[in-house]
Amino acid sequence: MTRPGLPKMIATDLDGTLVRSDETVSAFTHGVLDRIRAAGIPVVGATGRGPRLTELTRNDIRAADYLVMAGGGRVVDQSDPAGPVVLRDERLSATALAEIVADLEAAVGPLTVMVEALDDPGAPLWGDYHPSWPYQDLFEARTRAECLTHDVIKAFARAQDHHVDELLEAARAIVPADVATLTQAGLGFVEICPAGVDKSTGLTVVAEALGVDPADVLVFGDMPNDLPMFEWAGWARVAVANAHPAVRAVADEVTLRNDDDGVAVYLDRLLSG
């Protein structure tokens, strides 16, 4: 339920929400976010992108004081003049991931598996090639054995005969929440994150650093990996019009599509109200 006045913190997903389909962010959106920050409201980018994409992320949400990345596993304070400070850095162990993959394949059949093991700028994902993966320039084919010898930021899994939502439902029935967090972000792959890692727990780190109550946080999103922060935030939960049905179903409000600068239009009205 939208509360009166202004929120004390604003967090937005990036891809599919703030970022348009052509992978750009409009000057209008940047300008509105600058006005939000000038009004004294901290801006947080909350994304599934891993730390290897930090510079791209900073460029897409230049007004952000904090970044919640890797679906909550990496939290960075960008407000320190001395440079970015990492507040959270979680990993899923190679042993746990190997067991998860084995259990899933026993239940649903062969999987395409990729892992995000490195946080160097522009580092590739490793694993099984799949033509549907949209970022082939940041992918390196490696054997399953190679992929499962490293602790990872997160992993991605796809089954040939299962829609991603069906695979996610099946995987959640197999993998306990205290072993890993499972979600999907619209890329056609189930994402396997460390236990306890989601956007809400990442944003909790930020809110505690700022002394902000979740009840005073406004969030924007479009995909199931945004649902935890929708459940967590209390000022308002706003879906873009192109959002997944599960996100639209729990949203307090629906703004315009990402391609129509829906987040910025909502915030512009908020500041003008």
Side-chain angles (χ1 to χ4, degrees):
M1 183 66 69
T2 305
R3 299 178 62 186
L6 292 174
K8 294 182 179 177
M9 184 173 104
I10 293 171
T12 180
D13 172 58
L14 298 185
D15 299 299
T17 302
L18 191 78
V19 180
R20 299 179 294 192
S21 300
D22 64 0
E23 300 184 3
T24 66
V25 177
S26 71
F28 172 66
T29 292
H30 283 305
V32 171
L33 291 175
D34 286 342
R35 287 167 55 206
I36 289 288
R37 192 166 183 268
I41 304 171
V43 175
V44 185
T47 178
R49 299 176 185 177
R52 66 201 178 96
L53 301 175
T54 296
E55 289 309 312
L56 173 66
T57 302
R58 287 177 178 150
N59 185 62
D60 283 343
I61 186 163
R62 297 194 293 260
D65 300 281
Y66 292 80
L67 297 178
V68 172
M69 304 190 71
R74 175 71 66 93
V75 179
V76 182
D77 177 358
Q78 301 194 115
S79 65
D80 191 325
V85 178
V86 175
L87 303 180
R88 188 187 202 194
D89 185 7
E90 301 289 341
R91 293 291 194 279
L92 178 65
S93 75
T95 301
L97 179 58
E99 293 176 355
I100 290 167
V101 170
D103 290 345
L104 291 179
E105 290 195 319
V108 304
L111 296 172
T112 296
V113 176
M114 301 183 300
V115 300
E116 187 162 4
L118 305 177
D119 57 8
D120 305 318
L125 298 184
W126 298 339
D128 304 322
Y129 167 77
H130 197 281
S132 72
W133 184 250
Y135 310 112
Q136 295 291 341
D137 57 326
L138 294 177
F139 169 79
E140 181 179 314
R142 292 212 180 188
T143 66
R144 181 70 58 84
E146 287 179 290
C147 292
L148 298 180
T149 56
H150 297 262
D151 294 349
V152 301
I153 296 163
K154 64 178 172 178
F156 302 81
R158 181 186 181 103
Q160 181 67 32
D161 299 325
H162 292 70
H163 183 274
V164 63
D165 288 332
E166 297 171 344
L167 180 60
L168 178 58
E169 183 178 1
R172 283 177 170 168
I174 295 165
V175 181
D178 62 356
V179 173
T181 298
L182 305 177
T183 190
Q184 72 102 342
L187 296 173
F189 287 72
V190 167
E191 301 192 1
I192 306 169
C193 302
V197 164
D198 61 39
K199 290 189 179 183
S200 73
T201 59
L203 287 172
T204 295
V205 173
V206 177
E208 290 178 350
L210 293 171
V212 172
D213 190 293
D216 295 318
V217 180
L218 163 62
V219 295
F220 297 88
D222 75 315
M223 278 292 157
N225 67 331
D226 296 317
L227 289 171
M229 72 175 182
F230 271 48
E231 295 167 1
W232 174 84
W235 195 89
R237 292 72 60 93
V238 181
V240 285
N242 52 288
H244 188 285
V247 178
R248 288 175 60 100
V250 300
D252 298 309
E253 299 182 59
V254 176
T255 187
L256 300 176
R257 297 174 56 85
N258 64 321
D259 287 340
D260 297 321
D261 294 336
V263 172
V265 168
Y266 183 97
L267 292 175
D268 182 53
R269 290 173 181 163
L270 188 66
L271 288 172
S272 303

